[in-house]
Amino acid sequence: MTSPTPDALLGPADVRELAAALGVRPTKQRGQNFVIDANTVRRIVRTAEVRPDDVVVEVGPGLGSLTLALLEAADRVTAVEIDDVLAGALPATVAARMPERADRFALVHSDAMHVTELPGPAPTALVANLPYNVAVPVLLHMLETFPSIERTLVMVQSEVADRLAAAPGSKVYGVPSVKANWYAEVKRAGAIGRNVFWPAPNVDSGLVSLVRRAEPLKTTASRREVFAVVDAAFAQRRKTLRAALAGWAGSPAAAKEALVAEGVSPQARGESLTVEEFARNAEHKDAEPKAVGHEEKAPQ
């Protein structure tokens, strides 16, 4: 691998100059906060344990700060960008600042929630500074759509990081915690200060590491069936599982029967169950469960 030039990464002045040239101002609507510190993006790459043979997919590359750091370390990088101007400019930025790696970069101009395939080899890692307002649904979509992704490191709002990595019994344990754990072992991997962003957000950020399970969760229930139980259990957090799962099971009595069969107290609440326990309860549903329509979102 050819070593990139020392000044290949974007610093604060580079980011502002590039944004000005493109007429770009970060928008709150898309949760855009551009990283302006080269040390931070290199730290993210190190924490993600990106290897020379990795094919990395990045969501929301923005002006390319993290993209360039990933290209230093990985075999290939595919960036998914929804913004028309940013998507149009990124290939030129890569070519100008890291020409020796430009042929290892691909851009997909799309909403990440609609991406179902990527060019080139299957991705082995996902590394991204996810927009705060769509972080959880995008993360879950990518993990479901691309089972080849073994390792993930995402930077999200600190509160969302806590929820993703929460264990059963925690006050912040909820839908994101259980669904992320369906796919992977999840843990907090560090904190990121506000001053490394432009504009500086009014919330702290955190890194979350997700290492895909070596083997899928052993259950006869489908992912959709398990997630339907999870959604129902957390739709009204203060309710007992007997009450919360009544609609899903068909009646409070049926919900109680399913819970008792798995050794779970009907008086327990959703935040006390592991993903394995949710899966076992899903197995007791004969018919296809109706989705409750509740998807816990990242805080705005």
Side-chain angles (χ1 to χ4, degrees), residues 48-63:
E49 298 181 357
V50 174
R51 301 187 295 246
D53 61 344
D54 270 325
V55 178
V56 179
V57 57
E58 179 191 9
V59 175
L63 294 167

Side-chain angles (χ1 to χ4, degrees), residues 72-279:
E72 281 187 340
D75 182 54
R76 294 177 180 275
V77 175
T78 299
V80 180
E81 176 58 65
I82 188 174
D83 187 282
D84 294 342
V85 175
L86 295 174
L90 189 54
T93 300
V94 170
R97 302 190 73 90
M98 209 172 282
E100 70 284 353
R101 303 292 292 159
D103 62 339
R104 300 284 179 164
F105 172 74
L107 177 82
V108 175
H109 181 195
S110 177
D111 181 340
M113 289 296 293
H114 299 156
V115 170
T116 56
E117 59 183 10
L118 295 168
T124 59
L126 166 64
V127 184
N129 170 22
L130 291 178
Y132 292 157
N133 53 346
V134 294
V136 171
V138 165
L139 173 62
L140 295 175
H141 171 74
M142 295 299 287
L143 289 174
E144 172 62 21
T145 307
F146 301 102
S148 61
I149 294 175
E150 302 166 357
R151 287 161 291 114
T152 296
L153 187 80
V154 291
M155 178 160 57
V156 294
Q157 183 175 335
S158 186
E159 182 182 343
V160 177
D162 288 338
R163 294 163 76 190
L164 283 168
S170 165
K171 290 182 179 179
V172 295
Y173 183 74
V175 172
S177 325
V178 184
K179 292 186 177 181
N181 199 233
W182 167 267
Y183 299 105
E185 298 297 327
V186 189
K187 66 178 183 179
R188 281 290 300 254
I192 301 291
R194 303 181 186 190
N195 62 346
V196 303
F197 294 98
W198 173 67
N202 58 6
V203 293
D204 294 322
S205 299
L207 299 176
V208 181
S209 165
L210 302 97
V211 178
R212 190 177 290 269
R213 291 175 178 269
E215 295 182 1
L217 207 66
K218 291 182 179 178
T219 176
T220 57
S222 68
R223 177 194 60 84
R224 181 182 175 188
E225 289 167 341
V226 175
F227 282 14
V229 185
V230 175
D231 287 338
F234 288 100
Q236 299 181 62
R237 292 181 69 97
R238 294 184 179 181
K239 283 194 174 184
T240 64
L241 284 170
R242 180 181 183 275
L245 297 182
W248 164 81
S251 70
K256 179 180 179 180
E257 181 181 349
L259 291 162
V260 170
E262 291 305 327
V264 177
S265 169
Q267 299 306 310
R269 288 173 170 76
E271 49 263 47
S272 66
L273 266 62
T274 65
V275 66
E276 289 85 359
E277 288 172 320
F278 276 114

